[in-house]
Amino acid sequence: MDFSSLDNSTSDLFDREDVYRPLADRMRPTTLEGFVGQAHLLARDKPLRRAIEQGKLHSMVFWGPPGTGKTTLAQIISNASQAQFLSISAVLAGIKEIRKAIEQAKLHSQENASATVLFVDEVHRFNKSQQDAFLPHIENGTIYFIGATTENPSFELNNALLSRTRIYVLKRLVEEDICLCIDQALQDDKVGLGKRHIGIEDEARKILAVAADGDARRVLNFLEIAADWLEDSAIEKTITREIALEVTVQGTRRFDKRGEYFYDQVSALHKSVRGSDPDAALYWFCRMTDGGCDPCYIARRVVRIAVEDIGNADPRGLQIAVNAWDTYERLGSPEGELAIAQAIVYLACVPKSNAVYRAYVLAMQDAKVHGSLEVPMHLRNAPTKLMKDLEYGQGYRYVHDEPDAYAQGECYFPETLKDARYYAPVPRGLEIKIREHMDKLRNKTGKQG
């Protein structure tokens, strides 16, 4: 938890110049003029910008990737409204800390007759009862609530809390924004690196910006490491391409296992294959593996794609997907990923059919709606004399004794569903042949498939 807002003595401690503060913290802007990015929210004509400039507070939730300015924007809003700023983190705090913050907000209101902004970082980590604890205090005006989350609020926040706040989506910073953060830090001679007179090569700037992956905090951490590297050398004063590569060697792309970005990228891979775009499918596959996703998870999803979106248009797709999964488990990384890539490309290129998937959904719907319909007598097994006496299996026609191995007019459904049809082969791939065959058989009885 950020105790600096709840304890003035701690705040004084962090104001001391001999206490180390990371560059990312020192460079945190205090006004909108210094804030980088989020033009879709903070351009001159945007409602949030006008509300901040006019000091009109309201409770809100900031949803976006790490390093996009959620905490900074909350502080700017508080400063612009001349409100007390209290901060807690759901990673470390609980009901006790929430109550302490609320009590301090009440005391501040009595003594100063001014508002309190309560900023809750990682708010999605609070459970339902903890989130509910804010509700009465938001409603009676004790606090203006600002939550920050990297997860989709629709899934992670209570409806009651969502109904009392406005959601603002913060986007990852583009490369131009990240480069601006780098230049600001190098030029600032008060809290930045300006006093060190450090230069940076254009290629090095680009390397740092790309490695930051839209995260301003990350690029400033990279920059500080590079600057310290130069200071140790006592000769070189320019961040070169080689230095930039060295400090970013461990950088990985954002993947956020089991979080919002995880499922977004899984969805993008699936839809690229479904849309017959092997290049895009490969890109998302590489994005996921580069970000640390377990290739076995991807292989499992590829099998699902083969069943759902290719189906009987090319039944080989399922076997290729299963083989790719098996190959990865035998070879491991990095060789095994190529087998998964091969399966992805194949599935993206072959004809598509969701006919089996749709048939399954329809059949399952009937199974649930109609309940336990009796199995027709002629379809029942009759292994005992009693069952035979009860006419189990009587009248069953063995298809291999029939012309074309097809029992014309036979019904295999319960009577209630005798006219049901679920599977409708599409006019693509092998299902063209399947459809022709089924139509031929059904035409014998005068029924079209």
Side-chain angles (χ1 to χ4, degrees), residues 16 85 99 113 115 254 297 336 354 399:
R16 290 167 43 192
F85 184 81
R99 289 173 178 167
R254 184 176 296 116
Y297 175 85
N354 69 344
V399 298

Side-chain angles (χ1 to χ4, degrees), residues 116-386:
T116 293
V117 168
L118 176 56
F119 176 71
V120 183
D121 198 17
E122 304 287 342
V123 63
H124 61 276
R125 294 181 181 267
F126 274 148
N127 61 34
K128 182 179 186 301
S129 62
Q130 290 169 324
Q131 291 182 31
D132 286 346
F134 297 107
L135 302 181
H137 310 293
I138 295 174
E139 287 187 342
N140 64 25
T142 301
I143 59 169
Y144 287 95
F145 177 92
I146 300 182
T149 178
T150 57
E151 301 296 331
N152 190 326
S154 300
F155 303 137
E156 304 296 337
L157 301 188
N158 297 347
N159 288 334
L161 184 57
L162 289 176
S163 69
R164 292 163 175 80
T165 59
R166 181 167 179 180
I167 309 299
Y168 292 102
V169 180
L170 276 68
K171 300 179 180 179
R172 67 186 297 277
L173 301 183
V174 298
E175 188 176 316
E176 182 181 351
D177 295 332
I178 296 294
C179 288
L180 180 58
C181 291
I182 294 173
D183 292 339
Q184 287 179 345
L186 291 175
Q187 295 164 11
D188 191 307
D189 58 5
K190 293 183 179 179
V191 294
L193 303 173
K195 291 181 179 180
R196 302 195 197 181
H197 304 291
I198 295 172
I200 186 169
E201 294 178 354
D202 289 341
E203 189 174 357
R205 182 188 289 103
K206 182 175 180 63
I207 290 170
L208 294 180
V210 171
D213 200 26
D215 186 331
R217 185 186 303 110
R218 178 186 283 189
V219 80
L220 291 176
N221 289 339
F222 285 152
L223 189 63
E224 188 166 29
I225 295 171
D228 290 343
W229 191 309
L230 291 178
E231 189 171 33
D232 290 341
S233 72
I235 300 175
E236 184 64 52
K237 286 296 182 181
T238 300
I239 299 174
T240 62
R241 174 182 181 275
E242 290 70 24
I243 293 174
L245 288 173
E246 190 67 31
V247 300
T248 60
V249 67
Q250 297 299 326
T252 57
R253 300 293 171 262
R254 184 176 296 116
F255 187 68
D256 187 22
K257 296 179 181 179
R258 296 303 187 272
E260 178 72 12
Y261 297 102
F262 178 93
Y263 292 108
D264 282 349
Q265 291 180 46
V266 170
S267 175
L269 170 63
H270 192 148
K271 290 171 182 174
S272 297
V273 174
R274 178 185 293 155
S276 299
D277 190 333
D279 301 304
L282 269 181
Y283 168 77
W284 291 115
F285 170 63
C286 292
R287 273 284 301 275
M288 294 165 71
T289 54
D290 180 54
C293 181
D294 181 2
C296 277
Y297 175 85
I298 302 175
R300 173 177 170 271
R301 294 291 303 199
V302 170
V303 171
R304 165 70 190 223
I305 294 169
V307 173
E308 179 179 339
D309 290 293
I310 285 81
N312 286 338
D314 189 340
R316 293 170 299 184
L318 176 57
Q319 189 59 57
I320 289 172
V322 172
N323 286 346
W325 191 353
D326 182 58
T327 300
Y328 176 81
E329 291 187 329
R330 290 171 183 267
L331 293 182
S333 293
E335 295 87 352
E337 279 93 331
L338 186 58
I340 301 174
Q342 178 183 343
I344 288 172
V345 170
Y346 183 86
L347 296 180
C349 294
V350 297
K352 305 297 186 294
S353 171
N354 69 344
V356 172
Y357 173 73
R358 290 166 56 195
Y360 171 80
V361 171
L362 292 172
M364 180 62 73
Q365 181 179 334
D366 271 353
K368 291 180 177 180
V369 169
H370 293 284
S372 302
L373 297 176
E374 293 287 340
V375 177
M377 294 297 286
H378 69 285
L379 297 180
R380 298 187 188 188
N381 193 28
T384 69
K385 182 178 183 300
L386 173 61

Side-chain angles (χ1 to χ4, degrees), residues 23 26 32 135 314 321 436:
L23 177 62
R26 301 198 308 269
L32 286 178
L135 302 181
D314 189 340
E436 290 174 353

